[in-house]
Amino acid sequence: MLNQYSNIINQSLRRHPQAIFARYSSQDLAIILPNIAIREIEQLCNHLLRALEHVRLPKEVDKDSFYHIGVATFKSGDNLTQILLEADMAIRAAQLQGSCNWFMYQDE
């Protein structure tokens, strides 16, 4: 499943050659997209949710809450710890919305 998710995400990021895609932990994947507009982030997240729906999961897995996307925006010079905290809060907010979803944390 991780391979399938990785392939889908890699294909979705082809339009963004500056993207960095990595495995953050055993279950968490991370994408860093420099110089991207908020509108493009929204489009990418919605596209990923639709594309990831096509991965077949084992029957015992709750497909409606198997993955969530958390987004944190940042600019050069921002504190790394704060960025990671905001990304974590965004993932938690997406999980609270129920179903497979995404949420963007914005400080403003």
Side-chain angles (χ1 to χ4, degrees):
M1 288 183 316
L2 186 59
N3 251 357
Q4 291 176 6
Y5 282 122
S6 294
N7 288 336
I8 290 169
I9 293 169
N10 274 323
Q11 289 174 357
S12 299
L13 294 175
R14 286 188 185 189
R15 291 186 32 212
H16 306 282
Q18 73 280 18
I20 300 169
F21 175 47
R23 190 171 182 178
Y24 184 69
S25 67
S26 63
Q27 302 180 75
D28 298 325
L29 304 174
I31 300 169
I32 298 175
L33 278 170
N35 304 319
I36 185 169
I38 298 294
R39 180 75 178 133
E40 285 182 274
I41 293 170
E42 293 171 354
Q43 290 172 346
L44 177 60
C45 289
N46 288 323
H47 168 77
L48 283 172
L49 287 178
R50 285 190 309 273
L52 294 173
E53 284 179 351
H54 299 291
V55 174
R56 286 191 171 174
L57 301 173
K59 291 180 183 184
E60 64 271 5
V61 173
D62 180 9
K63 67 177 185 163
D64 290 329
S65 63
F66 188 66
Y67 56 87
H68 297 88
I69 300 172
V71 178
T73 59
F74 66 94
K75 58 186 177 299
S76 179
D78 284 355
N79 181 295
L80 176 60
T81 304
Q82 184 65 29
I83 295 167
L84 293 173
L85 178 64
E86 291 170 2
D88 186 56
M89 288 189 292
I91 290 171
R92 292 174 193 267
Q95 291 168 334
L96 288 173
Q97 291 180 11
S99 199
C100 295
N101 218 323
W102 71 276
F103 184 85
M104 183 181 325
Y105 179 87
Q106 291 180 294
D107 196 23
E108 295 87 42

